Every structure is written in structure tokens, then in C-alpha cells.
RNA sequence: GCUCGGAUGGCGGAAUUGGUAGACGCGCAGGACUUAAAAUCCUGUUCACCUAGUGAGUGUGGGUUCGAUUCCCACUCCGAGUACCA
């Protein structure tokens, strides 16, 4: 029948042949306009940053898994759109340029070319005809358009905020560029904080929408992380009136300090207040005798970032301001402190401290000998203080009531006397999108003396990033050094104006790219409504979990805005989300600086990409990644050869019953595992089948089924078998819905072997029918473990059909 | 610090809703084939011991249950994120 003798499998040659053929046939190019909506499957991976180094094992794991899943969906009959692009703006290219003098445009275009070549050699079904490169004017033109939309919608605004300032390099630093000791990575200078006017996106307007994940299939952990990041808490804003020093703290100054608390029920126990070092009222709180000491403390505190301020083992520090405020519930004066454990951006930046019922306040109060008054009765257990809900005491009229009631009562009372109100706050902050850097999309606004802030009209986009700009750090944004760029005419009045010189955060570029892919080459509009509505939401989005809170929150936010504007129908950008794991080397993240980067190319050259991909998929769960070691690659090679030989052996006319049953069980388990992206167990199942069937022979039908099952994992080999051995006319991946279905009758066994336990310990095995009746099952089991039952009283007999028998004896 | 994960043989890992722990693979040991080796094939392989068996065992200590890798409590270690790396 077959013209093929059993021949050796030459992976490298075979793979090259099929990649060439697939490219010629444009097999992976999707008919974006013509595909019916019910057939579409948008299979997306988070696009890579084109860094200097080659593709690493992490990329391989990531894209290997994406492609395996995509091919599986393809074989179930879906039209799979699997585009690829590059997130090419950003800090690393700029830093590289500063260091080496190579222009980011040049290094990026080299890197993109290299990575594209390497990704192509993996043999994935990437649709390169819809590529996006975020640093290209054709793309960032529309990123600027997105900014203008935000502005139009009132979702972009300017405000001052603190940034890391390097006084030597005269430049803003990313948190990453600030070392743990507070000095700058590059210059070594002690980093300062500087107030700067920045553009923000009002993501906080969408806090409630972002908390609603209905309709999505996301990992529980990612949802939790986002929920905590958004950090909704319902509490009370409480007004503490300031007391004047001159009066001996008996009279009010007329000013007040507002604190946010989720535990208004503990207000009677509030014995002091703490304001964040960056609190806007700090300066007026400083009494003369305390000013010098406080200012020193505040300056030091502002140099640290949030993580350092609350770092491990760090003792809480603070200073007394010399001011007092009145506790509104009992009229008692409380001292006001400044401490860096209070963060300015959360709540109101000021807290009422209840040391008897809050751990941090307790530590602080003990250290500085502040009053500690218990106002709740509760079981402390082994702790020094009680932090839960209990029964109120020392709380005036609220004594004896439960905390929840007290909270409501006190809030109501505060409302009645005008000293507070119920309030919901969120930890989520607005998204700062301004960067004082060169390598980003220029923010498309101009500043006109007469008209103020004027958006650049869409027809004038892109505001092009000039190539010849001095991007060396020197005290102002790189774009500000270019007179040619800065000076322009006001689009509104035609008078002299100056351009905004900040660029956009690269997260803005990546917040909408999935809506651009379907019409990536369309120069007339950012998003094609009809196409976006058809292809969005993303059916499967795969990327690292390091993006759980930022990128994945920004994408959701932007999608919500786009929905509001009618560009998409769905609130959520992606239905299903999956995080691949991390590949490490000797337990550490692979990086050039550590010198532990393993180059995938050498494995591809030696064994072919199918082998490397299968090995990465087999190494462990796709969601876990793992530590790289090539010791196990032998097993995958052996399996591949065995599989190849099995498929090339002569066909048999009928399958052995055992093999047939196994085939259907394998179809069943692989289908489930593919759906769940558990590729390691897909391979285990294929190995088991091969071990069994290679001795017995396969029918043509079985060969077609098993080749289809392996094809998402080893597409080149599968295609070679499909076309060259099984002599099909058309590619397996163009064959439509060919994924096999298991025959349910083949999945059930009539006999099962069950463990027989005595007191929960395995003492024997028994063969039973699947639905063996209780009495006969127990009867047979008793015989098996007769020895262990001898002389004992059986007090209970447990029989769970198909699972277990357990005798409880005394 | 805070938030979220993870920990199973010598190694990578497997185990629907609690039901025979260690599938599959690597490695190792023994055997077949070979003048020999490689490759391939077969057998064995959680550990301990007084080895026809018995006991222990899924990071540690407790708990719930007839039964826990799985559920609960406390802890240890490792990883990710922590808002200007992406």
C-alpha cells in the first residue's frame, strides 16, 4: 500500500520542507473579513519585548504552548487567528542607546528581525501578515489617537506627582533604576523626589467594573491579585479638628485633618493620629519646636519607596509634629505624628491610630509610649492585642454592642454632627502615563499661551518621534532638547505653541494592540469596528503571570472605554486567560548578566523544533515551567523514533481490542488535557499508547487518529506522516474538523481492581465488576483480607463502587 | 512588610469532586543481542528493616474523617508582583 519503507526520520530536513510549504501556501494567514464569527478563535500571546538577546527558553515554552493550543483549536474546526508582534518602545532600548550610542530605532529593528526569524523557525502558525510593531509610526499614530480619545472622554488629566530624581544625571529614574540603598543604579547618586506635572488616565473611574469578572474564565489567583490591587474597602471618613497651640490645645484652629478608617467602631480607642510624610498639610502641622527634627525625618522618608518604607523586619519610625487634633467622638485631644508607614496615596493619607486593636499602631505606640486604650473585648489568643470584631467597651453609649453595630452607630453619629461620613475607597490609583523619556510615543498635545492645552487633531497624527535627538540625560525630557520638535503652531489659533515633550508609558501601547491586529495594515483608522466586534474578545490569552496586575488591568480598562465608545461589544478584552510558567536555570531567572542563558537554537539545529517543543511541553505542567536541564530530552527522542517507526510499519486490518480501547481512552484524556493546556500529560498518554501499540500494529484509521493527536505537539512530523506516509492531498492543518472523538463505550471497563483497606491501610486488592453489588463486593473483599480481619470486630464496612473498600475493625 | 502562588522517589513530574501515592520519562542496576561498544529490546527500581513479610512515607507541627498529596489551623523555605522593567 504505502510506498514508504521504514526509513530514518530526518527532523531538520523535514521541518524545513514543511515550513517552506506552509509559508508558500499561506496556510496560517487568516481571512479576517471572510471568517464567520462563529468559527473564529482569537488565540493570542502577549507580544515580546525585542531585547538584545536571542529568543530564550522562556519564549519557547510560551510560544510552544500557545501554538500547541492554537493547533488543537484548529483541528477542532476553528479558524484560529494567531498573530504576533513586538512591544518595542521602552526603557531597555533607551538605556542601551545611552550606553553604546546605538540609536534605539536601529537596535530595535535588528532585534525584531532576529526574533522574527527565530520565532518563524519554531514552525508555529503565526499570521505574520498582521504584525504590529509598537514603535513604528504606523502603530503609535493610533496609540496617540487612543490618548486623544481618553482626553475627549475626560479620562486623561494632568496632575503633579513625585518622581525619582537623579541629581547627578539630572533625569527621572524608573523604580527599577533605584537600588535598595536609595542610590541610582547608573550614577550612584542619592535619589531624590521631585514634583512633576504628569498625565494620568482615570482608571479609578472603572474600579467597580474592574472588580466584576463575570463572563471570564481567568485563573483564580489572577482575579484575586487584581481584586486586592484594586483594594476596595468600605469605611468612614472621620474629621479631626486641629487644636491651637496658643490656647493650650483647648480651642480649635478652624482647620481639620481627615482620616479614613474601616474600623470606625474603634474610634474611642484612637489615641493618636499619623500623617504620611507626603501629606499636603504636613507643613502647617509642624510646631516650631519640632519643625527641624520633622523636616529631617520627612526628607529621609521621601527618599524611600513604598516597599522600603514597609520592608521586612523594619521597625516603625516616626516623629511627633507638636500638633494635636480633637477626637470627634469624645472630644479628647490626640497628638499628631508623621510616620512613613502611612502611605499618602491611600485613603486620605492620614490615619487615626488605634494601638489596642491594630498591629502596626500597637508596635508604634509601644515604641513611642503612646496611650493604648482597649475598646473591644475579644479573645486575643496568643497575640498581644485583639484585632477582630467583638463587644465594645470604653466606648460611651456604644458599650456592650457588637463591633459591626458600633461601626454603623458611630458613623451615623459622626454624620449627624458633621464630622464624618461613610465612604468607599480603593487602593487602586490612577494610571500615570507620562514618561520623561525619548523612546516612546510622543503625547499628542501642545501648550498654547492663549488656548492652553490643545490636543493635536487626529488628521495631524502621528506626532512623529524625531530621530535626531540627544537622548543623553541632561535635566529635561530628551524631546525638550529639540527646538524643532518643541516649537509648533497652535492647531486652534495658529499662534506659537510648544509641544508636550513627555512620551507615553509603554503600557499604553500594549493596552490596545489586540484590537489593532485584525486591521494591522489599515492606515485609515485605529480600530475597525466591524472587525473588532467580530474578533474581540480574545478567546485565549496566554502570557506570564508577572502581568497579573498591571498590563492585564490596563487592557481591561482600555477595553471598557472602547466598549463605551462602541468599538467593541464586550466589556472584557479576553474570555480565557492562561499563565505559562517560568523557565529557570539552576533555580534562577535566565539572564545575560548571570551568564546562565541557554540558547534554544543549538537544540533546534541538532534535533529539530518538534523535539525541543515536545520536551519543553513534557518537562512539567505548562503553567509551572521549571528548571532547565536537557537530561530528559533523550526520552522524547526515543519516543519520537518509536512513534515514527510505529506509523511507518505495515497497516493491520483490525486493531487488537486492547489497543482499540487504549486508543479511545487516549483520545478522551488528550482532549481534556488539551482543553486545560496540560501538555505534559498529553505526551504521557501518547507514550503509553505507543508502548502498547507499537508491538501490535495499527489500522489506517488508527494511524490517522493518533497522528492527529500528536500533531499540535509535533506539527512537522505529523504533517510528514499525514502527507507523505498516509498520502493525503491537503495539509492536516487545512483539513478542517479532524480531531477524533472517543467512543464512550470504549471508555468503560467491565472489571475494575479495587484496593481493600483495613482501618484505612491497604491490605489487598480485589477484582470486581464496575457495578458490583455491595454484598458480593464485601464478600469478595473479606476473603482477600481474611488474615487481617481474623480475631477482630468489624465495626463498619465501607464500599464506594469503583473506588475503595474499607473495613473498620477494633 | 503587603498581595498571590508553590513544596510529592536520586531527578522532571502523575494522581476528576477526599478513595490502591509515585502514571509517563530521565537516571541507575541486571539481562538479551554484539568479538566489543553504541543503538535497540527485556526485567527491576519510594525508603528502612529482623525481607514468604513488616513499618514509615507527598516541606514541618497539629486537626477534621472509616480514609487526607487533596479540606482546616499554625509554621518553614522558595518564587512572582508591589504601580516609571515589560
Amino acid at each position: 500500500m504505502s510506498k514508504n519503507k521504514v526509513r530514518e526520520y530526518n527532523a531538520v530536513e523535514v521541518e524545513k520542507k514543511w515550513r517552506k510549504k506552509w509559508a508558500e501556501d499561506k496556510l496560517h494567514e487568516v481571512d479576517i473579513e471572510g471568517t464567520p464569527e462563529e468559527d473564529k478563535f482569537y488565540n493570542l500571546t502577549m507580544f515580546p519585548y525585542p531585547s538584545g538577546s536571542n529568543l530564550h527558553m522562556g519564549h519557547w515554552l510560551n510560544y510552544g504552548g500557545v501554538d500547541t493550543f492554537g493547533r488543537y483549536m484548529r483541528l477542532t474546526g476553528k479558524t484560529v487567528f494567531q498573530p504576533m508582534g513586538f512591544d518595542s518602545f521602552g526603557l531597555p532600548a533607551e538605556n542601551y542607546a545611552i550606553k553604546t550610542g546605538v540609536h534605539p530605532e536601529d537596535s530595535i529593528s535588528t532585534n525584531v528581525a532576529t526574533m522574527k526569524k527565530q520565532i518563524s523557525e519554531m514552525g508555529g502558525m503565526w499570521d505574520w501578515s498582521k504584525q504590529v510593531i509598537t514603535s513604528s509610526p504606523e502603530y503609535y499614530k493610533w496609540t496617540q489617537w487612543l490618548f486623544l480619545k481618553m482626553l475627549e472622554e475626560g479620562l486623561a488629566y494632568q496632575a503633579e506627582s513625585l518622581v525619582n530624581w537623579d541629581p547627578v544625571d539630572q533625569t527621572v529614574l524608573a523604580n527599577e533604576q533605584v537600588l535598595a540603598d536609595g542610590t541610582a543604579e547608573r550614577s550612584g547618586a542619592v535619589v531624590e523626589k521631585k514634583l512633576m506635572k504628569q498625565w494620568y488616565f482615570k482608571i479609578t473611574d472603572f474600579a467597580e467594573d474592574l472588580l466584576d469578572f463575570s463572563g471570564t474564565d481567568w485563573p483564580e489567583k489572577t482575579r484575586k491579585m487584581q481584586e486586592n490591587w484594586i483594594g476596595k474597602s468600605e469605611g468612614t471618613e472621620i474629621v479631626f479638628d486641629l487644636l491651637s497651640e496658643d490656647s493650650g490645645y483647648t480651642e480649635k484652629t478652624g482647620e481639620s485633618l481627615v482620616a479614613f478608617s474601616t474600623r470606625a467602631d474603634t474610634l474611642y480607642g484612637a489615641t493618636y493620629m499619623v500623617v504620611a510624610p507626603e501629606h499636603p498639610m504636613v507643613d502647617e502641622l509642624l510646631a516650631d519646636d519640632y519643625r527641624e527634627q520633622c523636616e529631617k525625618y520627612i526628607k529621609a522618608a521621601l527618599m524611600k519607596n513604598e516597599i522600603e518604607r514597609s520592608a521586612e523586619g523594619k521597625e516603625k519610625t516616626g516623629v511627633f509634629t507638636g500638633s494635636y487634633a480633637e477626637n470627634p467622638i469624645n472630644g479628647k485631644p490626640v497628638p499628631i505624628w508623621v510616620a512613613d508607614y502611612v502611605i499618602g496615596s491611600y485613603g486620605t493619607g492620614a490615619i487615626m491610630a488605634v494601638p489596642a486593636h491594630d498591629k502596626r499602631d500597637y508596635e508604634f505606640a509601644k515604641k513611642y509610649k503612646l496611650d493604648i486604650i482597649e475598646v473591644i473585648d475579644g479573645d486575643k489568643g496568643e497575640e498581644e492585642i485583639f484585632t477582630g470584631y467583638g463587644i465594645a467597651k470604653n466606648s460611651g453609649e456604644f458599650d456592650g454592642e457588637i463591633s459591626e453595630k458600633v461601626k454603623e452607630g458611630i458613623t451615623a453619629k459622626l454624620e449627624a454632627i458633621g464630622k464624618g461620613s461613610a465612604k468607599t475607597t480603593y487602593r487602586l490609583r490612577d494610571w500615570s502615563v507620562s514618561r520623561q523619556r525619548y523612546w516612546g510615543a510622543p503625547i499628542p498635545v501642545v501648550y498654547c499661551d492663549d488656548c492652553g492645552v490643545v490636543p493635536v487633531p487626529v488628521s495631524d497624527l502621528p506626532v512623529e518621534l524625531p530621530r535626531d535627538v540627544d537622548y543623553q540625560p541632561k535635566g529635561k525630557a530628551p524631546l525638550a532638547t529639540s527646538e524643532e520638535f518643541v516649537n509648533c503652531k497652535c492647531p486652534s489659533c495658529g499662534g506659537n505653541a510648544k509641544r508636550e515633550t513627555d512620551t507615553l508609558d509603554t503600557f499604553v501601547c500594549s493596552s490596545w494592540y489586540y484590537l489593532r491586529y485584525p486591521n494591522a495594515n489599515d492606515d485609515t483608522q485605529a480600530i475597525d469596528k466591524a472587525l473588532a466586534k467580530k474578533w474581540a474578545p480574545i478567546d485565549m490569552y496566554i502570557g506570564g503571570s508577572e502581568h497579573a496586575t498591571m498590563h492585564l488591568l490596563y487592557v481591561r480598562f482600555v477595553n471598557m472605554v472602547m466598549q463605551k465608545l462602541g468599538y467593541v461589544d464586550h466589556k472584557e478584552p479576553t474570555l480565557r486567560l492562561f499563565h505559562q510558567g517560568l523557565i529557570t536555570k539552576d533555580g534562577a531567572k535566565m539572564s545575560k548578566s548571570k551568564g546562565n542563558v541557554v540558547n534554544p537554537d543549538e537544540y533546534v539545529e541538532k534535533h529539530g523544533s518538534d523535539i525541543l517543543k515536545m520536551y519543553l511541553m513534557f518537562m512539567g505542567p505548562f503553567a509551572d515551567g521549571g528548571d532547565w536541564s536537557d537530561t530528559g530530552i533523550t526520552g522524547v527522542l526515543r519516543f519520537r523514533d518509536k512513534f515514527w517507526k510505529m506509523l511507518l510499519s505495515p497497516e493491520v486490518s483490525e486493531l487488537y481490542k486492547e489497543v482499540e480501547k487504549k486508543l479511545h481512552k487516549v483520545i478522551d484524556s488528550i482532549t481534556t488535557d488539551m482543553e486545560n493546556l496540560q501538555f505534559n500529560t498529553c505526551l504521557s498518554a501518547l507514550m503509553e499508547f505507543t508502548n502498547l501499540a507499537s508491538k501490535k500494529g495499527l489500522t489506517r484509521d488508527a494511524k490517522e487518529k493518533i497522528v492527529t493527536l500528536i500533531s499540535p505537539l509535533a506539527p512537522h512530523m505529523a504533517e510528514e506522516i499525514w502527507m507523505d506516509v498516509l498520502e493525503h492531498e491537503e495539509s492536516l492543518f487545512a483539513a478542517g474538523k479532524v480531531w477524533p472523538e472517543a467512543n464512550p463505550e470504549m471508555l468503560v471497563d467491565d472489571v475494575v481492581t479495587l484496593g481493600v483497606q483495613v482501618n484505612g491501610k491497604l491490605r489487598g486488592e480485589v477484582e470486581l465488576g464496575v457495578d458490583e453489588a455491595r454484598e458480593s463486593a464485601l464478600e469478595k473483599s473479606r476473603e482477600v483480607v481474611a488474615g487481617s480481619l481474623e480475631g477482630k470486630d468489624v465495626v463498619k464496612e465501607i464500599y464506594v463502587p469503583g473506588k475503595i473498600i474499607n473495613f473498620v475493625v477494633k
Side-chain angles (χ1 to χ4, degrees):
Chain A
M1 251 194 84
S2 169
K3 68 180 179 199
N4 291 280
K5 296 190 290 283
V6 175
R7 53 179 166 102
E8 290 292 311
Y9 180 68
N10 185 333
V12 174
E13 224 171 79
V14 166
E15 292 186 356
K16 228 179 258 164
K17 176 175 81 183
W18 291 118
R19 277 202 295 273
K20 192 165 163 243
K21 177 92 168 97
W22 292 337
E24 280 167 10
D25 295 351
K26 301 191 171 178
L27 190 64
H28 309 314
E29 283 184 28
V30 170
D31 177 3
I32 292 292
E33 283 87 13
T35 300
E37 191 168 340
E38 59 274 19
D39 288 350
K40 75 99 182 177
F41 192 90
Y42 195 169
N43 190 44
L44 190 65
T45 182
M46 292 177 189
F47 59 171
Y49 178 81
S51 64
S53 49
N54 292 332
L55 277 202
H56 52 69
M57 285 296 176
H59 289 122
W60 262 86
L61 178 81
N62 184 181
Y63 307 146
V66 168
D67 190 57
T68 302
F69 186 72
R71 286 186 188 271
Y72 162 70
M73 289 312 301
R74 180 78 201 86
L75 295 166
T76 65
K78 291 286 182 187
T79 302
V80 177
F81 180 41
Q82 193 171 288
M84 184 57 93
F86 296 93
D87 190 11
S88 46
F89 268 140
L91 196 58
E94 187 161 341
N95 284 341
Y96 183 73
I98 292 168
K99 228 163 88 185
T100 64
V102 179
H103 197 281
E105 219 172 281
D106 301 334
S107 64
I108 284 299
S109 90
T110 312
N111 295 345
V112 163
T114 310
M115 286 182 84
K116 188 170 172 179
K117 182 172 167 276
Q118 288 181 307
I119 294 172
S120 302
E121 277 166 9
M122 292 177 66
M125 34 180 230
W126 312 108
D127 184 348
W128 289 107
S129 70
K130 300 292 189 294
Q131 165 184 269
V132 302
I133 298 177
T134 60
S135 61
S136 70
E138 298 82 51
Y139 183 87
Y140 72 68
K141 169 179 178 178
W142 301 115
T143 304
Q144 292 172 338
W145 167 89
L146 176 71
F147 178 91
L148 295 175
K149 281 285 165 199
M150 292 287 183
L151 200 57
E152 227 176 272
E153 289 302 300
L155 291 168
Y157 67 95
Q158 282 182 296
E160 298 234 302
S161 79
L162 289 170
V163 296
N164 301 313
W165 182 256
D166 182 330
V168 170
D169 271 0
Q170 293 281 300
T171 185
V172 176
L173 298 178
N175 288 340
E176 197 194 40
Q177 299 172 292
V178 182
L179 301 176
D181 63 357
T183 59
E185 191 182 44
R186 190 163 45 218
S187 73
V190 173
V191 177
E192 298 170 355
K193 293 277 173 177
K194 193 171 169 179
L195 263 184
M196 273 199 176
K197 206 170 200 189
Q198 315 252 31
W199 284 98
Y200 285 87
F201 283 171
K202 265 193 201 165
I203 190 171
T204 51
D205 274 11
F206 290 77
E208 280 301 321
D209 295 312
L210 290 166
L211 282 169
D212 175 15
F213 287 90
S214 50
T216 63
D217 179 7
W218 276 36
E220 170 84 21
K221 66 164 187 173
T222 313
R223 285 206 313 260
K224 272 196 204 160
M225 271 193 263
Q226 291 208 349
E227 275 164 19
N228 290 321
W229 184 267
I230 294 164
K232 179 177 182 171
S233 64
E234 300 192 19
T236 314
E237 270 191 357
I238 304 170
V239 180
F240 287 73
D241 290 327
L242 297 182
L243 299 171
S244 86
E245 193 182 349
D246 301 339
S247 67
Y249 306 112
T250 53
E251 282 168 34
K252 296 180 179 176
T253 63
E255 301 228 42
S256 57
L257 195 55
V258 181
F260 173 78
S261 172
T262 56
R263 294 296 304 269
D265 55 301
T266 61
L267 184 52
Y268 280 92
T271 52
Y272 64 103
M273 293 188 77
V274 185
V275 295
E278 60 271 38
H279 194 282
M281 279 176 67
V282 150
D283 194 58
E284 54 189 285
L285 289 172
L286 303 184
D288 294 341
D289 294 349
Y290 299 87
R291 178 166 292 272
E292 197 181 319
Q293 185 195 355
C294 287
E295 281 177 346
K296 211 171 123 195
Y297 177 84
I298 291 165
K299 202 178 163 204
L302 289 182
M303 281 199 274
K304 303 180 208 161
N305 65 33
E306 270 173 48
I307 301 169
E308 288 155 20
R309 275 166 63 170
S310 53
E312 186 170 4
K314 183 187 160 294
E315 218 176 290
K316 309 260 171 296
T317 60
V319 282
F320 179 43
T321 62
S323 296
Y324 287 82
E326 184 189 88
N327 184 332
I329 202 79
N330 58 15
K332 288 190 185 162
V334 295
I336 304 170
W337 286 62
V338 184
D340 64 8
Y341 77 93
V342 173
I343 304 288
S345 55
Y346 182 65
T348 61
I351 62 158
M352 62 176 217
V354 186
H357 304 288
D358 180 278
K359 261 187 175 168
R360 289 174 307 177
D361 297 347
Y362 177 71
E363 260 177 63
F364 192 85
K366 230 170 54 171
K367 181 171 173 188
Y368 294 106
K369 307 212 161 39
L370 294 156
D371 290 345
I372 301 173
I373 300 174
E374 284 195 23
V375 292
I376 305 172
D377 262 332
D379 179 15
K380 289 178 194 166
E382 282 168 23
E383 303 290 328
E384 288 178 80
I385 54 163
F386 176 72
T387 56
Y389 284 154
I391 305 294
K393 62 179 180 184
N394 299 325
S395 294
E397 62 187 275
F398 300 100
D399 281 358
E401 285 184 44
I402 57 166
S403 301
E404 289 88 339
K405 279 263 176 258
V406 180
K407 196 192 280 185
E408 280 174 32
I410 289 185
T411 303
K413 190 164 173 191
L414 289 173
E415 268 171 19
I417 60 174
K419 294 296 173 200
S421 56
K423 169 111 188 191
T424 303
T425 60
Y426 301 88
R427 196 172 299 275
L428 181 70
R429 316 210 278 257
D430 276 337
W431 176 12
S432 151
V433 297
S434 293
R435 298 291 181 270
Q436 294 71 47
R437 297 184 201 288
Y438 170 66
W439 194 233
I443 295 175
V445 297
V446 303
Y447 300 97
C448 168
D449 286 343
D450 295 327
C451 317
V453 178
V454 182
V456 174
V458 175
S459 56
D460 290 352
L461 296 183
V463 174
E464 252 186 86
L465 183 67
R467 184 182 161 99
D468 295 318
V469 163
D470 183 2
Y471 41 74
Q472 293 292 337
K474 50 165 55 79
K476 45 183 175 177
L479 289 180
T481 63
S482 167
E483 295 281 318
E484 211 180 311
F485 177 83
V486 174
N487 296 315
C488 62
K489 296 291 172 204
C490 171
S492 172
C493 70
N496 287 336
K498 291 192 183 305
R499 285 193 193 282
E500 166 67 66
T501 56
D502 283 354
T503 53
L504 287 168
D505 175 15
T506 54
F507 277 122
V508 179
C509 308
S510 58
S511 69
W512 74 285
Y513 74 115
Y514 63 100
L515 293 173
R516 179 64 183 169
Y517 275 128
N519 66 321
N521 306 314
D522 173 3
D523 195 36
T524 64
Q525 56 189 335
I527 299 165
D528 182 310
K529 281 188 185 176
L531 296 184
K533 283 182 183 191
K534 188 205 293 186
W535 286 93
I538 301 160
D539 294 280
M540 172 61 100
Y541 195 28
I542 299 178
S545 62
E546 68 270 21
H547 294 293
T549 44
M550 301 182 67
H551 167 64
L552 285 167
L553 208 54
Y554 297 147
V555 195
R556 294 182 65 216
F557 160 60
V558 168
N559 195 83
M560 287 170 196
V561 175
M562 289 296 116
Q563 185 201 23
K564 215 175 130 193
L565 297 177
Y567 285 89
V568 286
D569 291 330
H570 293 78
K571 168 177 163 280
E572 295 292 333
T574 170
L575 295 178
R576 207 172 156 197
L577 174 71
F578 195 92
H579 298 302
Q580 85 279 6
L582 195 69
I583 298 282
T584 54
K585 176 67 187 165
D586 304 320
K589 216 170 174 173
M590 286 189 198
S591 76
K592 248 186 174 175
S593 58
K594 289 192 199 109
N596 62 350
V597 175
V598 181
N599 186 359
D601 290 356
E602 58 181 276
Y603 293 95
V604 178
E605 279 158 26
K606 205 163 159 192
H607 305 301
S609 78
D610 282 352
I611 283 294
L612 180 57
K613 181 167 136 179
M614 274 197 283
Y615 179 54
L616 281 165
M617 296 301 117
F618 182 59
M619 249 174 60
F622 183 45
D624 288 1
D627 202 55
W628 174 261
S629 143
D630 61 9
T631 53
I633 209 162
T634 320
V636 181
L637 280 163
R638 280 183 195 145
F639 161 68
R640 197 247 347 245
D641 291 341
K642 214 167 170 180
F643 187 91
W644 172 253
K645 225 186 259 171
M646 174 173 81
L647 269 291
L648 263 71
S649 335
E651 280 160 17
V652 297
S653 57
E654 202 179 333
L655 278 184
Y656 272 77
K657 196 74 198 161
E658 202 189 350
V659 174
E660 190 182 9
K661 278 209 128 176
K662 188 71 182 171
L663 178 62
H664 284 271
K665 283 188 179 173
V666 165
I667 292 171
D668 185 58
S669 74
I670 295 188
T671 305
T672 310
D673 290 347
M674 281 286 172
E675 292 287 344
N676 297 321
L677 295 88
Q678 282 159 346
F679 306 126
N680 54 332
T681 46
C682 288
L683 275 157
S684 297
L686 285 164
M687 285 172 180
E688 282 183 50
F689 180 79
T690 307
N691 290 343
L692 177 74
S694 58
K695 296 167 203 155
K696 314 267 187 182
L698 293 177
T699 58
R700 182 182 169 86
D701 176 64
K703 282 188 179 179
E704 297 206 330
K705 286 194 164 105
I706 203 74
V707 160
T708 309
L709 292 178
I710 205 176
S711 68
L713 292 151
H716 302 90
M717 177 177 66
E719 184 82 323
E720 175 75 2
I721 294 171
W722 186 259
M723 301 286 276
D724 213 57
V725 180
L726 299 173
E727 298 177 314
H728 282 275
E729 301 273 295
E730 208 181 10
S731 166
L732 170 59
F733 303 103
K737 198 179 163 190
V738 286
W739 190 260
E741 272 178 48
N743 176 357
E745 284 172 29
M746 291 284 172
L747 301 179
V748 287
D749 298 304
D750 3 314
V751 198
V752 287
T753 308
L754 295 193
V756 183
Q757 299 179 331
V758 176
N759 282 349
K761 291 206 164 136
L762 188 67
R763 284 290 177 263
E765 281 181 352
V766 65
E767 264 206 1
L768 297 176
V770 182
D771 299 315
E772 186 97 18
R774 184 181 162 86
E775 268 326 303
S776 77
L778 290 174
E779 181 77 43
K780 287 176 188 166
S781 304
R782 258 182 236 117
E783 282 166 33
V784 173
V785 294
S788 306
L789 296 179
E790 214 179 297
K792 307 260 172 68
D793 269 352
V794 177
V795 288
K796 199 168 176 184
E797 293 171 325
I798 289 149
Y799 169 53
V800 184
K803 304 266 187 190
I804 201 85
I805 292 103
N806 189 13
F807 295 105
V808 185
V809 300
K810 259 188 199 160

